[in-house]
Amino acid sequence: MSDPRIAAIALGNSDEPLVDLRNVPEVVVDGRLADAAGAYAQLREGVVSRLLDAHRLLPRGLGFLVTEAYRPLDRQQAIFDEYRDELRRRRAEWDDQRLFVEASKFVSPVGSPRTAPVGRWT
């Protein structure tokens, strides 16, 4: 998200149904990041369709392991905050804007460029 070309992509909500990957036999779901609601195994129907198309192209005996599909916003924010705070400990000389940009190179922040404080996405 620190790249302005990515940040410029319009965000939108989709009414596309979610599919529980635990009910898709072609895909193995890793439960180590499971949440009580089972969101970790939820994926949009169109993405599941494309995943199954890709699965059919794999050599026999190979498959996909999904460790986490849907991630609730509060979990995403916590992951971003943890990584930003780790960077803050390592690079105490960086200001908040630099920390935000550097952290967003590896973890997507919650929200969009249109809702971020001015200057944060540059």
Side-chain angles (χ1 to χ4, degrees):
M1 293 300 284
S2 63
D3 186 318
R5 295 169 297 178
I6 300 298
I9 296 171
L11 301 177
N13 196 8
S14 169
D15 292 328
E16 189 176 0
L18 293 171
V19 173
D20 190 327
L21 291 174
R22 295 171 293 184
N23 297 324
V24 178
E26 297 87 348
V27 178
V28 176
V29 180
D30 181 343
R32 288 178 289 171
L33 295 177
D35 60 305
Y40 78 103
Q42 303 293 312
L43 199 57
R44 297 218 180 271
E45 188 175 59
V47 177
V48 172
S49 176
R50 291 187 295 278
L51 183 63
L52 292 175
D53 288 345
H55 173 79
R56 286 188 279 281
L57 297 172
L58 292 173
R60 188 171 181 83
L62 294 181
F64 288 104
L65 171 67
V66 176
T67 57
E68 190 174 35
Y70 176 77
R71 187 182 287 161
L73 290 178
D74 60 338
R75 177 156 168 69
Q76 182 65 28
Q77 185 66 53
I79 292 168
F80 180 84
D81 292 347
E82 288 170 18
Y83 184 62
R84 184 203 54 220
D85 293 347
E86 178 184 331
L87 289 176
R88 179 177 283 125
R89 285 189 297 277
R90 291 185 193 174
R91 304 301 298 258
E93 72 277 10
W94 287 357
D95 64 16
D96 286 343
Q97 180 176 346
R98 174 80 187 268
L99 286 165
F100 183 88
V101 168
E102 296 301 324
S104 69
K105 289 180 179 178
F106 296 98
V107 180
S108 182
V110 172
S112 75
R114 292 159 216 32
T115 61
V118 174
R120 285 222 140 159
W121 293 92
T122 59

